[in-house]
Amino acid sequence: MSWTINVTIERHIVARPVTTDRYTVEIEPHRNILDVIEKIWAEQDRTLTFRHGCHHASCGSCAIVANGREVLPCIVHVEDTVKKDGGTLALGPLRNFPVIADLVVDMEPLFAVMEKAGMPIVGPADPLPGQPEDDYNAFENCIECGICMSACPVVATDSEYMGPAGLAAVYQSINHTADASERSRLLDMVDTPSGIWRCHVAYECSELCPSNVDPAGKIMTLRRMATFRRIRRLLGIKEKKEATHGIDTTPVKQ
């Protein structure tokens, strides 16, 4: 059984004021929001600009705001957002990013902070059930979708803040190296007023992350690491502990 839903989409066109276009779409409620967008583009409005790739939450490229909540439209069902036949689906681009056109934003600010953090792409992984013990690697959970940056209230008000994605990336970089000087450099990067101490602990980033990265949890771990280092320095603890700036070089357990 199909639903008939009312869809509103923010239209961002260069050199024009932002407008809202309205569409009526007939679609099965179990279909994904991305299906709605593609249906509008295919049947009603070929000027609509949006971004997509994998269609299964691996690339992160399709992220938008739907009914006020950041989502990956490729995996969120219409019925979970619209709730009822005849309901409204309001779509807009991610917040806190420059908008290129319609539902497409410029992700350069996110990519810049991830590069600065040295975000690892792959890392060590446990074997799957039935696999022999060996050195396995797997892709990191973060898909660089930008949802956490859009949802973060501090990113919205402070352009100097590294943001949850960048801080979580620093945590992962620390976790991936046993080099004491590199770990110290990375902690120095975030132990600043615009780093881990700027977070207001809203936890919106962890609540909405589609890959269960838990950026807020990682920020809290970085705060503990930075606090222990400050205490050790205050107490004058040197030698081995000072060489690592108070950081245990054992990889952080996730």
Side-chain angles (χ1 to χ4, degrees):
M1 181 182 69
S2 295
W3 283 5
T4 299
I5 63 174
N6 304 301
V7 183
T8 65
I9 300 180
E10 288 183 24
R11 303 303 303 269
H12 296 256
I13 301 173
V14 176
R16 296 185 187 179
V18 177
T19 59
T20 299
D21 284 356
R22 292 169 170 79
Y23 309 88
T24 300
V25 179
E26 185 175 326
I27 195 166
E28 295 86 353
H30 66 272
R31 298 283 291 276
N32 296 325
I33 293 174
L34 184 57
D35 295 326
V36 174
I37 298 170
E38 291 182 323
K39 189 175 177 68
I40 291 173
W41 178 83
E43 299 177 1
Q44 300 187 47
D45 190 347
R46 301 286 279 194
T47 70
L48 179 62
T49 304
F50 60 102
R51 181 187 284 139
H52 65 89
C54 68
H55 285 70
H56 53 78
S58 291
C59 71
S61 62
C62 65
I64 59 172
V65 175
N67 284 6
R69 185 180 179 89
E70 285 78 5
V71 300
L72 289 181
C74 62
I75 59 171
V76 176
H77 296 157
V78 170
E79 60 191 347
D80 293 331
T81 304
V82 180
K83 304 299 184 182
K84 63 179 181 179
D85 187 9
T88 298
L89 178 62
L91 305 178
L94 290 180
R95 294 174 272 233
N96 306 328
F97 289 96
V99 179
I100 297 174
D102 298 338
L103 302 179
V104 177
V105 299
D106 183 357
M107 302 295 287
E108 193 279 333
L110 171 64
F111 297 150
V113 75
M114 299 299 267
E115 182 178 3
K116 181 179 179 181
M119 172 68 183
I121 303 300
V122 298
D126 294 328
L128 296 174
Q131 286 185 320
E133 291 292 331
D134 203 341
D135 291 329
Y136 293 97
N137 288 304
F139 284 107
E140 291 292 340
N141 287 343
C142 179
I143 58 175
E144 299 183 358
C145 62
I147 281 178
C148 63
M149 302 288 279
S150 176
C152 176
V154 180
V155 173
T157 60
D158 188 347
S159 62
E160 298 299 317
Y161 179 48
M162 285 188 68
L167 295 173
V170 169
Y171 170 92
Q172 290 299 95
S173 295
I174 290 175
N175 192 40
H176 279 260
T177 181
D179 185 319
S181 61
E182 177 63 7
R183 292 165 67 91
S184 178
R185 183 191 70 81
L186 289 166
L187 193 56
D188 283 340
M189 183 192 305
V190 299
D191 188 8
T192 66
S194 60
I196 51 178
W197 306 109
R198 191 70 179 88
C199 171
H200 286 184
V201 202
Y203 276 83
E204 291 291 331
C205 54
S206 292
E207 172 69 21
L208 296 175
C209 176
S211 297
N212 299 314
V213 171
D214 187 20
K218 290 177 170 56
I219 293 171
M220 296 305 104
T221 298
L222 288 171
R223 283 185 174 182
R224 288 194 294 272
M225 295 168 70
T227 299
F228 290 148
R229 184 175 70 167
R230 291 186 181 197
I231 291 173
R232 286 167 174 165
R233 286 178 172 176
L234 182 64
L235 295 177
I237 301 175
K238 297 181 179 180
E239 298 177 353
K240 182 178 179 180
K241 291 183 178 180
E242 181 64 19
T244 60
H245 288 253
I247 306 172
D248 181 2
T249 57
T250 303
V252 179
K253 297 292 185 181
Q254 296 194 52

